Amino acid sequence: MTQIIVVTSGKGGVGKTTSSAAIATGLALQGHKTVVIDFDIGLRNLDLIMGCERRVVYDFVNVINGEANLNQALIKDKRCSNLYVLPASQTRDKDALTKEGVGKVLDDLAKDFEYIICDSPAGIEQGAMMALYFADVAIVTTNPEVSSVRDSDRILGMLQSRSRRAEQNLEPIKEFLLLTRYSPARAKTGEMLSVEDVEEILAIKLLGVIPESQAVLKASNSGVPVIVDQESDAGLAYSDTVERLLGKDVPLRFIEEEKKGFLKRIFGS
């Protein structure tokens, strides 16, 4: 049965699109046929991070409006045969997303895909509401900052009251926490919230902790999802996150400050 997963947050700039690309790629690399959809109409970025921006001909809104079919709009990933991208429109308004139109596209995708990843814009505007409305699973993405966590708490309220599952009295959306840009050293000095602080405030299951890493920026700039870089802490952390999403028991890494050895203490890293 197809699972619709929304990657969402209350605040912008927390790494939703990076996470959507990494999680979709990770699922596809595990052998699951996966499509990732950009819901950020007018401000699309997913195609850049996936490295397919020059291959966009038709988009999500074209499909909703009947100006193109899914086969025309879907972009097959060059690295993984199980992965497809449905880009957002750069020229339309967010009001172009209607409940009926989005619902039909998701129903059509569900005939062919095991996982549908919805890359939601931040906040509670039309695109975000459409992304979360149809979700079976929500990955609430936050930075370890008070404002980001507070806004994520608001999104949890929306998930519990404004989704299709809530309207139809179905089993609630499964909610997971993804903590991004985490630095154990800075958490220790009080510059950012600790993992435990964020868990206590949001009170949802922790799916993954992604460390602060230059590899994320490097991957984004080169159009390669960071999960492909298995030499980086961030790539490994996203791989662990996908394993947990698939129900495997994987211990958390990169949440404790790395202890420097004798030579590192003398000569630095």
Side-chain angles (χ1 to χ4, degrees):
M1 187 175 173
T2 302
Q3 277 206 312
I4 300 174
I5 301 173
V6 63
V7 181
T8 184
S9 77
K11 191 171 182 285
V14 299
K16 282 184 311 302
T17 301
T18 294
S19 298
S20 296
I23 290 167
T25 302
L27 289 167
L29 289 171
Q30 292 268 12
H32 302 284
K33 195 171 182 185
T34 304
V35 59
V36 55
I37 308 174
D38 191 346
F39 274 79
D40 203 352
I41 307 302
L43 292 169
R44 77 177 185 220
N45 283 310
L46 180 65
D47 55 310
L48 291 167
I49 288 178
M50 296 296 294
C52 62
E53 70 277 7
R54 294 182 183 177
R55 297 165 62 200
V56 177
V57 178
Y58 294 107
D59 57 55
F60 192 10
V61 175
N62 290 140
V63 178
I64 288 173
N65 291 343
E67 297 156 357
N69 62 42
L70 273 173
N71 283 335
Q72 291 175 292
L74 286 171
I75 301 170
K76 188 174 183 178
D77 186 74
K78 288 180 177 177
R79 292 170 293 267
C80 184
S81 61
N82 289 319
L83 182 59
Y84 291 77
V85 180
L86 183 55
S89 170
Q90 278 189 311
T91 57
R92 307 293 179 96
D93 189 84
K94 287 175 170 54
D95 292 335
L97 297 182
T98 63
K99 206 173 278 187
E100 296 74 20
V102 172
K104 183 176 186 312
V105 171
L106 293 176
D107 286 344
D108 289 342
L109 288 169
K111 295 170 188 173
D112 291 317
F113 291 92
E114 290 179 70
Y115 290 97
I116 300 172
I117 310 299
C118 302
D119 177 27
S120 169
I124 55 172
E125 44 80 12
Q126 178 79 352
M129 289 296 98
M130 286 297 102
L132 72 80
Y133 179 77
F134 294 95
D136 302 310
V137 175
I139 299 175
V140 179
T141 311
T142 186
N143 291 157
E145 303 164 1
V146 172
S147 61
S148 180
V149 174
R150 182 189 62 194
D151 289 346
S152 293
D153 208 17
R154 188 179 184 195
I155 288 296
L156 289 172
M158 294 290 177
L159 289 166
Q160 291 156 10
S161 61
R162 299 275 292 275
S163 67
R164 177 174 60 176
R165 286 178 169 269
E167 281 183 7
Q168 298 178 3
N169 292 318
L170 300 173
E171 186 181 335
I173 292 174
K174 290 179 183 173
E175 299 164 342
F176 294 104
L177 168 64
L178 181 64
L179 187 59
T180 57
R181 296 180 186 162
Y182 187 69
S183 166
R186 292 174 63 197
K188 189 176 180 181
T189 60
E191 290 179 59
M192 61 172 57
L193 298 174
S194 69
V195 173
E196 294 76 16
D197 292 333
V198 179
E199 283 188 285
E200 187 177 342
I201 294 166
L202 295 180
I204 57 174
K205 187 173 181 180
L206 182 63
L207 185 67
V209 177
I210 312 302
E212 246 179 351
S213 173
Q214 286 297 314
V216 173
L217 181 60
K218 181 182 173 185
S220 297
N221 287 338
S222 59
V224 179
V226 69
I227 196 169
V228 175
D229 181 7
Q230 289 292 291
E231 298 293 316
S232 70
D233 289 356
L236 292 170
Y238 273 117
S239 291
D240 291 349
T241 298
V242 171
E243 296 278 5
R244 293 187 201 98
L245 187 60
L246 292 170
K248 296 174 186 173
D249 186 13
V250 180
L252 287 166
R253 293 192 271 183
F254 317 118
I255 60 169
E256 301 289 342
E257 189 176 4
E258 185 183 356
K259 290 186 173 126
K260 288 187 178 180
F262 177 70
L263 292 176
K264 274 193 175 182
R265 287 200 301 272
I266 295 176
F267 296 109
S269 56

